[in-house]
Amino acid sequence: MKQLKETARKIKSMEIRGAGRIARDAAGELLEYSQRIANDDIDDFNKKMKFAAEMLVGTRPTAVSLPNAVRAVMRYKGATVDEAKVDIKRLADGFIAGSENAVKRIGEIGARRVRDGDTIMTHCNSSAAISIMAEAHAQGKEITVIATESRPRLQGLLTIKQLDSLGIKTSLIVDSAVRYFMKEVDLVVMGADAVTVNGSVINKIGTSQHAMAAHEARKNVIIAAETYKFSPRTLLGELVEIEERDSGEVLGREKLAGLPNVSVRNPAFDITPREYIDLICTEVGAIPPEMAYVIIKEFLGWGIEEMNSNPEFH
Ligand code: RUB
């Protein structure tokens, strides 16, 4: 229980962050938690697993990869605790390996869209987006990257360090300079926390500004997103919740003291409508955003009928 709570805390506080890593670590925690349950009673075991699943899912509301990962592990079957543990291990290991492989495959598929000499703009810190840039670079294409700071948590600094360690030339810019630099850009590559059935993309706050500035300048926007970031719930018309984080992340609490009329808003993500996205690059292929339903139905296994008949979604 202590370790479960610690993992939940780390996801909430963003020590563990980025939608893919959140999903892999949640699956890994469910596996470890299950193996630590000493009780032989299967009903009690199932209850404990459900409790753990709910605790993990409740940590961050926007990354759809999190409930998708938890659901993938919670499909376990077993008449006894031992059987259940074996099945959980199979499912969790399968999810984690599949996820790592997906990020690699996205790199290979996405790199085909990058040309030698391209300047790529990116936002925040997405392992799937970086995989595309890393693969293009590994193929010998000379690319330059423009990366935004991504306030307030400055994930852009993680991105520039990763790109630098790969030997990719990168410029860091403030978030408000996106439109200013767009004329120098050939391609915008960003990640996703969630993709809706209609092809809208939810990603770090500011993503939609990148996409709109790119659209205005007639530059292509590629979203790198594993299939488990697509949201089955949006098939039922449900909206993806946008996480609003503590105002202290923006200004530091002390700076607000003595300003009784001021408040700070801190949404962590925004929604980019599909009109501003050219391609969503998944591990099963690059698709136009209009094809998001196909991913949800064919690759996640949730069609409209399955969703409507599953009590979990109501
Ligand atoms: C991270 C973020 C990333 C996506 C995709 O937000 O918006 O672009 O999660 O990342 P936060 P990845 O820092 O708030 O978690 O491709 O690594 O899954």
Side-chain angles (χ1 to χ4, degrees), residues 188-205:
V188 177
V189 181
M190 301 181 284
D193 270 67
V195 181
T196 69
V197 68
N198 67 11
S200 298
V201 167
I202 292 100
N203 191 50
K204 182 54 52 199
I205 188 79

Side-chain angles (χ1 to χ4, degrees), residues 14 17-22 60 123-129 155 191-193 203-204 224 226 229 269:
M14 290 174 58
R17 52 149 297 282
R21 174 147 182 240
I22 290 172
R60 289 198 80 185
H123 186 47
C124 193
N125 178 249
S126 154
S127 22
Q155 290 93 329
D193 270 67
N203 191 50
K204 182 54 52 199
E226 303 90 295
K229 291 179 179 162
F269 301 98

